[in-house]
Amino acid sequence: MLLGLGTPAGAAVRDDTDLLQAKLDAGGAIFLPKLPNGACYRSRGLWLSNDDTTISSDGACIVALGFGPARLDPDAKHPHFANALFYLTHSNIRAPVPARVSISGLRIAVPKATRMHGIFVGGHEVTLSNLTVDGAPLTDVLVGSGVVGAAGMSARIAITDSTFTGAQRDGVTVYGPIGLRIERNTIARARGSGISIRSADRGQPVLDAHVVGNTVRDDGGPGVLLDLDPRNGLPLIASGIEVSGNKILRNARQARPLLRGGIVVAGKGDVNLSQNVLRGNRGRPVLLRDARVIKKQSLLRTVAPGSSGDDTAWLQARLDRGGGTIFLPKLPGDRCYATRGLWVSHDDTTITSDGACIVSLGLGPVRLHSIDGDPIAADAVFFVNRSRPKSPAPVDVTISNLRIVVAPGQPMYGVAVFGHGVTLSHLDIGGVPKDDVTISGRANGNLYAGNISVLDSTLSGAARTAISATGSIGLHIERNTIQGVRDAPPGQPAAGIDVEPDARDRPELDVRITGNTIQDNAGPGILLELEPNEGPAVIATGLEISGNTIVRNSNKPTPPKRAGIVLAGGQDGGAGTLVLKDNVIRDNGGPPILETHLKLDVQASGNQLG
């Protein structure tokens, strides 16, 4: 689409906002030709909300005039205005954020008086290349966002071969990257850092991030700042970070002491610094700052006083007091503790027993709401999530050595995991749960659950799925017996294990399903359903299914997909990997392995199929 815009007749000041916004709302490929006599397009902030949008030019310039409209929440107290020349995010709260967007070949000038960013990136799979952003933007390029309690990922972002100058804050700021490339750029004369990569909440990941071959000079703050020191503790995931081959010159002239360095690494992570040229920077060439000290509350140990017939009140009160260990001794006569759904919201919480059982009495209270306003009750016997929207998701929770029974007629899960660093081990979950275990990032502020282990347990009787994982990084499912999923009502996935992102921006990364016995389920033994309704997952890689015994599954005709293992979809672009080895797959309804719309690099070996 070739877009050449003339100045409207009789117009005193050129304003191309309406025409440009109309083209962006249509999507597709948009070419902005260079205007004659050095003239520039002029526009207010533009919403860029469609997938597969390409904006390119042969060197045209475009000048920011001020904020564009509020589209996401125009009636809110603090609505989201388009406060960047290109404001790249969804325009409708129920739509996915855009993916596969590129902007190249333009010069973007942002006058100081506009109080705008050059480009804001709130989507995934975005490429910015051969750009110039200058004037006095707040930030030349801002990717993602984050505060304690609300900090998700920015996936597969590339910023290359560009020049960024004059920012009032940082030249380039990126929150929560997974798969970031900042390469061969010149970043100069920002009042803050040249390049800043941040984890604003301990659950916001920084993973596979590369800052390579840039020239970063004359910035008021450090040339490169890796801020891996959230206010609420060390980041859960901070690895695969590279800063190499950069020229970092004359930075940190206006930096406070804690930021005086050419490269500043605050907090802890797996960081490789190599072959950088650091000259003329104020302070140290490389400053390594320890993580801030987080004072933890003293941990309590509590032994249950016995069951009163309804143990909700004292159990919930104890869980709300803080972390520590709650020991539930086995009751005489095989009696069970009984409780409504329990919120498990504190760090360092262990719930364990010598084999006691606990039975559900129904939903617990509503303490959270989803992004679109739906109330969230404790709909699992143990509901592991934060209890307040401004708190972080809990970390380091263990639940072990219990039998958990979901009684008939209740819309309940056995255990719901929305926290991080959660271990479920030696559990026997049964009765008639919706899922035995559900794992997700719903309303936890990070949109995924990280470093989750489900080990050495027996999971049975689920109506929908024994284990459902709808957004996870570092999920290990090992040595479990998973059986008897019922498909009730008919038409459920009915899988032993269902790895299925809720939306394409929910990651499935480093998921390992090893050494399990998965048998006698109505649907597939394992279902990898990696293509949500809006398209393939943005992050779906590092997957492994190995050493499992998968027998007599898909034993009802009603589930929509029937096989021993179903492999559907994959990572967008097809670069995701799956190791599939040494599994015994036999006597299942349908084929041993069913592939549909597969977008994974599958490395298969040693499987016994029958």
Side-chain angles (χ1 to χ4, degrees):
M1 181 186 302
L2 179 66
L3 184 62
L5 304 177
T7 305
V13 178
R14 180 185 188 111
D15 187 343
D16 302 300
T17 306
D18 291 344
L19 286 171
L20 284 168
Q21 188 64 70
K23 297 300 182 185
L24 291 173
D25 288 344
I30 300 167
F31 182 78
L32 292 176
K34 191 172 182 179
L35 296 176
N37 303 317
C40 293
Y41 300 94
R42 298 170 65 87
S43 178
R44 305 189 75 81
L46 297 164
W47 287 83
L48 203 169
S49 303
N50 287 322
D51 292 352
D52 302 300
T53 299
T54 298
I55 303 167
S56 62
S57 179
D58 55 356
C61 66
I62 184 167
V63 177
L65 296 176
F67 285 13
R71 284 190 169 184
L72 274 177
D73 46 7
D75 298 324
K77 184 177 180 181
H78 301 289
H80 287 77
F81 292 96
N83 66 345
L85 193 285
F86 291 109
Y87 193 73
L88 195 161
T89 189
H90 53 185
S91 296
N92 183 319
I93 195 68
R94 296 184 182 276
V97 297
R100 299 179 301 276
V101 173
S102 68
I103 305 173
S104 64
L106 280 166
R107 174 178 163 243
I108 298 169
V110 183
K112 183 176 182 179
T114 63
R115 298 292 296 167
M116 293 174 68
H117 303 280
I119 300 173
F120 169 70
V121 177
H124 306 295
E125 297 182 74
V126 176
T127 299
L128 309 178
S129 64
N130 294 290
L131 298 172
T132 296
V133 180
D134 59 20
L138 296 178
T139 311
D140 292 297
V141 177
L142 173 61
V143 180
S145 62
V147 296
V148 169
M153 71 172 187
S154 304
R156 299 171 63 185
I157 308 296
I159 303 170
T160 64
D161 303 297
S162 297
T163 299
F164 304 119
T165 59
Q168 299 177 60
R169 299 174 185 170
D170 299 334
V172 176
T173 296
V174 183
Y175 285 93
I178 296 181
L180 171 68
R181 302 293 184 272
I182 301 177
E183 299 178 349
R184 301 180 303 278
N185 304 285
T186 296
I187 299 103
R189 300 191 304 280
R191 292 184 65 183
S193 304
I195 298 171
S196 176
I197 297 174
R198 298 177 179 270
S199 179
D201 176 88
R202 65 191 181 185
Q204 186 169 51
V206 177
L207 179 63
D208 185 25
H210 301 266
V211 179
V212 178
N214 304 280
T215 297
V216 188
R217 59 177 176 81
D218 301 307
D219 299 300
V224 177
L225 170 62
L226 303 179
D227 188 353
L228 310 177
D229 188 21
R231 285 188 294 140
N232 57 351
L234 290 175
L236 181 76
I237 297 170
S239 64
I241 304 165
E242 175 191 9
V243 180
S244 67
N246 302 283
K247 294 180 180 179
I248 301 174
L249 313 172
R250 303 182 299 278
N251 299 286
R253 294 298 180 184
Q254 300 166 352
R256 53 194 172 89
L258 290 176
L259 294 176
R260 286 178 188 163
I263 298 173
V264 176
V265 182
K268 291 186 179 179
D270 172 20
V271 180
N272 172 30
L273 307 177
S274 63
Q275 298 181 332
N276 298 290
V277 176
L278 297 114
R279 289 199 306 264
N281 301 288
R282 189 181 184 193
R284 299 181 183 180
V286 177
L287 174 61
L288 304 179
R289 265 181 43 200
D290 290 336
R292 70 191 75 199
V293 176
I294 305 293
K295 184 180 290 187
K296 289 197 173 185
Q297 62 184 3
S298 59
L299 300 180
L300 309 171
R301 177 174 173 82
T302 302
V303 178
S307 179
S308 62
D310 184 345
D311 301 289
T312 307
W314 76 263
L315 265 170
Q316 188 62 72
R318 170 60 187 85
L319 288 165
D320 289 342
R321 284 177 62 193
T325 298
I326 301 172
F327 184 81
L328 301 174
K330 189 173 182 179
L331 296 173
D334 289 329
R335 290 187 298 116
C336 294
Y337 298 90
T339 181
R340 304 189 77 82
L342 296 166
W343 288 84
V344 183
S345 301
H346 284 278
D347 297 352
D348 305 304
T349 298
T350 296
I351 303 165
T352 190
S353 177
D354 55 357
C357 71
I358 184 166
V359 63
S360 66
L361 295 175
L363 299 176
V366 171
R367 291 188 174 181
L368 291 175
H369 288 78
S370 65
I371 293 174
D372 51 10
D374 291 337
I376 297 175
D379 59 356
V381 175
F382 295 109
F383 192 86
V384 184
N385 202 347
R386 59 187 183 171
S387 290
R388 295 178 298 176
K390 293 187 178 180
S391 297
V395 299
D396 297 330
V397 174
T398 298
I399 304 172
S400 64
N401 302 312
L402 278 166
R403 182 162 67 93
I404 299 172
V405 180
V406 176
Q410 299 174 359
M412 298 280 287
Y413 303 95
V415 181
V417 177
F418 304 89
H420 304 300
V422 179
T423 299
L424 309 180
S425 70
H426 295 91
L427 299 176
D428 184 341
I429 304 178
V432 287
K434 185 174 181 180
D435 299 337
D436 293 291
V437 177
T438 188
I439 300 163
S440 175
R442 186 183 185 213
N444 75 351
N446 305 128
L447 303 181
Y448 76 98
N451 293 352
I452 310 300
S453 297
V454 184
L455 312 172
D456 303 298
S457 296
T458 298
L459 310 176
S460 60
R464 186 179 68 168
T465 298
I467 298 178
S468 172
T470 61
S472 61
I473 299 177
L475 170 61
H476 294 182
I477 302 172
E478 301 177 359
R479 302 182 303 278
N480 303 284
T481 297
I482 299 169
Q483 59 193 11
V485 177
R486 295 177 293 114
D487 189 29
Q492 305 300 313
I497 299 171
D498 181 5
V499 178
E500 182 172 354
D502 274 335
R504 67 182 180 194
D505 60 352
R506 305 303 193 260
E508 297 295 353
L509 174 63
D510 183 25
V511 176
R512 304 184 186 281
I513 302 170
T514 62
N516 303 281
T517 297
I518 307 171
Q519 61 190 16
D520 302 309
N521 298 295
I526 298 173
L527 172 61
L528 291 189
E529 186 69 72
L530 302 175
E531 190 166 35
N533 291 335
E534 65 264 28
V538 174
I539 298 288
T541 190
L543 312 173
E544 178 182 348
I545 300 172
S546 66
N548 302 285
T549 299
I550 302 170
V551 296
R552 302 186 303 278
N553 299 287
S554 293
N555 59 25
K556 287 188 176 180
T558 47
K561 293 182 179 178
R562 301 176 67 245
I565 296 176
V566 174
L567 307 178
Q571 180 168 290
D572 195 17
T577 63
L578 167 65
V579 173
L580 181 66
K581 67 177 184 179
D582 302 331
N583 300 286
V584 175
I585 310 171
R586 58 178 172 78
D587 301 327
N588 300 284
I593 300 172
L594 173 65
E595 300 178 1
T596 64
H597 305 103
L598 188 61
K599 293 179 180 290
L600 286 171
D601 176 8
V602 181
Q603 303 161 31
S605 64
N607 298 294
Q608 300 179 40
L609 309 180

